[in-house]
Amino acid sequence: MTHRILILGGTTEARQLAGKLAVRASVTLSLAGRTETPIAQGVPVRSGGFGGAEGLAAYLRETSTDLLIDATHPYAARISANAAQAARLTSVPILALLRPGWEPVEGDRWTLVDTTGDAVRALGPAPRRVFLALGRQEVAAFEAAPRHHYLIRSVDPVEPQLAVPDATYLLARGPFRELDERALLQEQRIEVVVSKNSGGAATYGKIAAARALGIEVIMVRRPALPEVPSAETVDELAAMVDHFVEPAAERGV
Ligand SMILES: NC(=O)c1ccc[n+]([C@@H]2O[C@H](COP(=O)([O-])OP(=O)(O)OC[C@H]3O[C@@H](n4cnc5c(N)ncnc54)[C@H](OP(=O)(O)O)[C@@H]3O)[C@@H](O)[C@H]2O)c1
């Protein structure tokens, strides 16, 4: 019997994992459908929300899914909660792939906040030149502080643009190298970077660059996520899936 695996994706790791598992199981990758030009994933893809935990549970039943893998971004808390709930409702086993967050090191000047709203307040009363390395869903909060200059980098255009007098937009998709990030921060005379703690190497360049230049980073902490068995790397998770797949194969099912 071929195992059916549903991977909730939207991250580089989800794509890598899908490719790895596709040789031994029937894998479908699920995307939220928000990025206008998603990169090719190499396995069958479905796109768009399920309609909450109940909707996802119905999908798991309809497709006879044997294993659910939550490989979404650490800040995508809603879908992760839904996934854990749908797994409970259907008794489909769930595993999560969660890359470790960055830890501050010597020389970092991090201000830790819980939400983007708190990040806006942490910018303070005096006008500053701010680099927003956040998703387009989050930058809207910064309209509350129109006195700052914003450099806004996103994968898709921020539309509508922010209702602030002074913003520059940059379209780019990572990975971003530290040297390039350093050049960007210097050219744009950035005084503070606002970032999520995404973890991983692809977007760490700006953090390392800020450290090298002595620039403050306002770091939005990760949201609380459900407790499910998890791995930190693609290889580690693939090994967990092997344990899941192998017993059935040994039984000759
Ligand atoms: N938030 C970030 O910083 C970030 C960064 C990079 C990539 N991403 C990726 O972008 C996607 C959306 O993030 P988000 O912050 O909007 O998440 P979210 O707030 O947790 O999810 C909101 C809703 O979007 C739908 N959804 C999210 N991920 C989905 C998926 N993989 N497949 C199908 N439906 C999905 C679900 O709708 P229903 O309730 O209708 O099912 C979910 O309730 C995720 O796949 C995530 O991995 C997010």
Side-chain angles (χ1 to χ4, degrees):
M1 189 188 80
T2 311
H3 280 82
R4 288 186 167 277
I5 301 178
L6 178 67
I7 302 178
L8 303 172
T11 56
T12 306
E13 287 92 337
R15 181 160 39 88
Q16 292 167 345
L17 182 69
K20 229 177 160 86
L21 297 182
V23 295
R24 51 195 127 154
S26 163
V27 174
T28 300
L29 188 60
S30 174
L31 302 177
R34 280 202 248 304
T35 302
E36 284 154 18
T37 50
I39 24 188
Q41 305 286 322
V43 298
V45 169
R46 65 153 307 284
S47 185
F50 295 95
E54 295 284 345
L56 177 53
Y59 178 92
L60 294 175
R61 288 193 194 100
E62 280 159 21
T63 53
S64 307
T65 295
D66 303 297
L67 175 64
L68 177 60
I69 299 176
D70 176 7
T72 58
H73 193 270
Y75 286 76
R78 182 75 259 145
I79 187 70
S80 293
N82 289 353
Q85 172 73 0
R88 273 194 299 275
L89 290 170
T90 56
S91 302
V92 170
I94 180 169
L95 301 173
L97 176 56
L98 190 61
R99 61 172 96 129
W102 301 314
E103 299 288 340
V105 300
E106 182 74 37
D108 275 327
R109 292 179 53 213
W110 287 11
T111 301
L112 295 174
V113 297
D114 285 324
T115 64
T116 40
D118 292 339
V120 175
R121 286 182 281 281
L123 290 174
R128 299 170 85 184
R129 295 184 64 83
V130 186
F131 179 31
L132 297 183
L134 297 172
R136 61 175 172 168
Q137 295 173 62
E138 289 112 5
V139 296
F142 291 83
E143 287 185 345
R147 60 193 168 277
H148 305 294
H149 165 82
Y150 293 106
L151 172 65
I152 302 169
R153 183 169 67 194
S154 56
V155 174
D156 292 313
V158 175
E159 277 164 3
Q161 295 199 338
L162 287 203
V164 299
D166 192 6
T168 304
Y169 296 86
L170 204 60
L171 283 187
R173 196 198 298 262
F176 301 103
R177 294 184 318 160
E178 179 186 344
L179 275 183
D180 297 331
E181 297 290 67
R182 210 192 286 194
L184 179 70
L185 297 182
Q186 283 180 309
E187 273 161 29
Q188 298 283 333
R189 293 177 285 113
I190 295 300
E191 296 165 311
V192 52
V193 175
V194 183
S195 174
K196 290 184 284 198
N197 192 339
S198 301
T203 58
Y204 189 69
K206 61 179 177 278
I207 306 298
R211 178 168 60 239
L213 298 171
I215 293 174
E216 179 189 4
V217 175
I218 298 178
M219 186 68 80
V220 183
R221 283 197 187 90
R222 289 182 170 197
L225 295 171
E227 296 266 338
V228 302
S230 67
E232 291 190 346
T233 65
V234 170
D235 285 343
E236 205 186 312
L237 191 72
M240 286 171 87
V241 174
D242 279 344
H243 286 296
F244 176 84
V245 171
E246 272 162 13
E250 278 163 18
R251 289 198 306 270
V253 182

